[in-house]
Amino acid sequence: MLERMSAKLSRNTRDVLGEPLQQMLNYVENEHIRHCVPSTVSSGLANLPLKYVWFDGKENKSWPTDPTLPTGEPLNGSQAYSKIMSYFTTNAMTPMEVHELGKKQLAILYPMVIEVAREVTGQSDNDTAIAQFRDILNSSASYFNAEPIPKNESDKDAHRKCSDIEGAKKYCPKRWAAFQLWMAESRKVMSLLSPKTIPMFYFTGDKATTPICPIDMRPNLNPSSGAQSYSNSNKDCTKSARYFLPFFLENLGPRFSEWSVNAHEARPGHHTQVNV
């Protein structure tokens, strides 16, 4: 009886879950991705819908797209972007107003960046200072891996073997060692940022607005992860919140963004935002 039930469960798992999942993965890897357009053609909603189907990075002008919804309404990426703007900005600014604001901020901030570049490099010529400053930002000293990560710790085989912590330690040792340096720095920065929030919030009493949950550092072993992320606890802090660092970046870091990203993801960022 148990053997029949086990065999039936195995067949159902294979037929209902395994095969459809395999079909979906095959479609994404072998069909869907071949129709993705280069980011230089379209990287957002503004230029959608495209006039023609793309295949293997080339526009097929003999294959026009269907620019309408099933209801017959025309697709318009720019209008869609305008309609969802308020959800992400919490105000009524139009895309053009946001664009103009960005240009104003650029005019304010870029001269400050140039001044930093001149100070760091010791160069008085702006172009020279900028070029040398970019070299510094892109150098190995700006990352937690002092040398390139071995290819066998970055390929598809590594993605499979290093898909859990024990596997990452065993099969991606260079990457894991550099990753430990990153986690140590993140913990240190988090501990230094926390006291700076003391004047900002109530920590005790009826007006308390800050969570007491600890924040655990974790590797994000998903190869598609390209940035730090946060997973909250709950309002009673019955478990730790988690701050994830992407494990499979080409270079781990950079060091110079640690304070700003850490403040965004942990305190006083998402940890305060979603746990109260």
Side-chain angles (χ1 to χ4, degrees):
M1 178 69 175
L2 288 176
E3 290 181 0
R4 289 199 301 271
M5 290 179 63
S6 178
K8 184 176 181 180
L9 180 60
S10 296
R11 287 195 303 272
N12 287 343
T13 302
R14 179 197 64 200
D15 297 342
V16 177
L17 178 63
E19 289 186 1
L21 184 59
Q22 183 63 47
Q23 290 172 5
M24 183 195 72
L25 293 174
N26 285 336
Y27 166 74
V28 170
E29 185 171 357
N30 300 316
E31 294 184 48
H32 181 85
I33 199 170
R34 301 184 72 182
H35 292 282
C36 294
V37 300
S39 60
T40 53
V41 175
S42 177
S43 60
L45 293 174
N47 294 328
L48 298 181
L50 299 176
K51 291 183 178 180
Y52 301 101
V53 173
W54 283 68
F55 190 75
D56 288 346
K58 296 180 180 179
E59 186 180 35
N60 185 346
K61 292 191 175 181
S62 66
W63 190 354
T65 60
D66 181 358
T68 59
L69 293 167
T71 55
E73 299 169 273
L75 287 165
N76 189 310
S78 296
Q79 287 184 7
Y81 184 71
S82 297
K83 289 179 179 179
I84 64 174
M85 275 281 292
S86 61
Y87 176 82
F88 295 100
T89 61
T90 66
N91 61 40
M93 294 177 71
T94 66
M96 187 54 66
E97 287 172 335
V98 172
H99 182 69
E100 290 302 318
L101 177 60
K103 289 167 63 176
K104 289 180 181 178
Q105 290 299 108
L106 180 63
I108 295 170
L109 297 174
Y110 194 64
M112 297 169 63
V113 174
I114 294 176
E115 187 58 36
V116 170
R118 289 161 60 103
E119 181 178 343
V120 170
T121 63
Q123 298 291 336
S124 58
D125 177 72
N126 286 350
D127 291 340
T128 304
I130 291 169
Q132 291 187 9
F133 191 48
R134 284 175 175 164
D135 288 341
I136 292 172
L137 295 180
N138 292 323
S139 70
S140 60
S142 294
Y143 293 86
F144 293 95
N145 50 300
E147 55 189 27
I149 302 291
K151 291 184 178 180
N152 67 335
E153 296 188 19
S154 303
D155 57 16
K156 287 186 177 181
D157 196 37
H159 297 167
R160 178 178 58 83
K161 289 182 176 180
C162 304
S163 59
D164 57 52
I165 289 179
E166 291 306 313
K169 292 178 181 178
K170 182 176 181 179
Y171 297 108
C172 295
K174 295 287 188 181
R175 183 178 288 280
W176 182 259
F179 192 81
Q180 296 311 296
L181 298 177
W182 191 5
M183 287 214 296
E185 180 69 9
S186 291
R187 290 191 183 99
K188 183 181 78 172
V189 170
M190 198 183 305
S191 69
L192 294 172
L193 280 168
S194 185
K196 297 181 184 297
T197 67
I198 291 174
M200 302 177 184
F201 306 101
Y202 289 97
F203 284 78
T204 59
D206 295 338
K207 296 182 179 180
T209 55
T210 52
I212 59 172
C213 333
I215 306 174
D216 290 343
M217 301 295 306
R218 297 286 182 87
N220 188 336
L221 297 166
N222 184 339
S224 65
S225 173
Q228 293 92 318
S229 59
Y230 173 84
S231 176
N232 64 299
S233 176
N234 52 55
K235 66 182 181 64
D236 297 317
C237 287
T238 57
K239 61 179 181 179
S240 296
R242 289 178 290 181
Y243 179 13
F244 293 95
L245 301 178
F247 185 70
F248 281 107
L249 293 180
E250 180 179 358
N251 290 301
L252 302 181
R255 294 175 182 269
F256 53 78
S257 67
E258 186 57 44
W259 280 74
S260 58
V261 177
N262 203 305
H264 174 93
E265 297 293 347
R267 292 187 179 93
H270 292 317
H271 191 56
T272 303
Q273 172 196 14
V274 301
N275 278 299
V276 294

